[in-house]
Amino acid sequence: MPPMAESMPYWTARVLTLFPDMFPGTLGFSLSGTALKKGIWELETLDIRNFARNKHRNVDGAPFGGGPGMVMRPDVVGAALESVGPKTQPVYLTPRGSPLTQEKVRAFVSQGEVTILCGRFEGVDERVLEAYDLDQVCIGDFVLSGGEPAAMVLIDACVRLLPGVVGNETSVWNESFEEGLLEYPQYTRPEIWDGRAVPAPLVSGHHERIREWRRKAAENATRERRPDLWALRNERNMAVKD
Ligand code: SAH
């Protein structure tokens, strides 16, 4: 399918942030950058600071109950979310969220748009997360200094699934996680490098043998590196057989 006219993007990402100048950042380069210029997707940033109404334009306050750091105020974040109006369920990026998965990425793509709230400091007042029913999503078991790099990760993963972004569209179906497996290892020229040969089946020209080698390599990698994924896959396979 060719990309449609500039007036009609396939997908919109809306980012609520205290640092709108960080965007498009990495998203302005390579595949996502080209797609942004072509109008395949659209990026809107909202500066949360514009919704601070008190005279010092405070966006944060000390945590009730004490402790280090500052917390983003619910009145300010609430006003920013309110300005977006009724759209799809907004996402709050937080280490306290449920993990971002390829399945979840596909769901964000099919809903046509996503609104993302980026936290800073110690995070956002819990009441505003409840009041606006935010979908709390975590990009990994580590702590970043802000939600912006996490938003770029989420958006990048979505944009590469849009039609016309990755050249060979079948390639996005073949990748790590798509079948509950990590991908097989990849090789290119030269056929012998530094005394190391490419695995023989890959240069055999024998399609069945190549497929078989790749399937085994994918299974081995998953079993060794991601026992959690491997167990989940076996559970699902059992369920199918039952
Ligand atoms: N005090 C918080 C961490 C705050 S980090 C806690 O312990 O849970 C500041 C902001 O960075 C968060 O509000 C969130 O928006 C973002 N962030 C940090 N790590 C993240 C992760 N792993 N996934 C998604 N967002 C993250």
Side-chain angles (χ1 to χ4, degrees), residues 68 70 72 92-98 100 117-124 136-151:
M70 299 295 267
M72 288 170 74
Y92 172 48
L93 291 164
T94 167
R96 300 184 67 241
S98 49
L100 182 64
L117 170 63
C118 300
R120 279 272 152 185
F121 323 119
E122 292 307 317
V124 176
Q136 302 193 38
V137 174
C138 171
I139 67 155
D141 294 347
F142 43 78
V143 181
L144 302 168
S145 51
E148 292 78 9

Side-chain angles (χ1 to χ4, degrees), residues 14 16 81 88-94 100 104 108 111 113-118 129 132-138 154:
R14 194 174 298 106
L16 281 62
L81 285 165
T88 52
Q89 185 185 21
V91 172
Y92 172 48
L93 291 164
T94 167
L100 182 64
K104 193 127 181 132
F108 291 139
Q111 67 186 24
E113 51 140 33
V114 68
T115 300
I116 304 170
L117 170 63
C118 300
L129 304 177
Y132 288 87
D133 183 31
L134 276 93
D135 181 7
Q136 302 193 38
V137 174
C138 171
L154 190 158

Side-chain angles (χ1 to χ4, degrees), residues 171 174-177 181-186 214 217-218 221-222 225:
S171 78
N174 237 330
E175 289 175 316
S176 291
F177 310 119
L181 288 175
L182 302 180
E183 197 182 57
Y184 48 79
Q186 305 273 10
R214 285 182 165 165
T222 311
R225 298 173 187 184

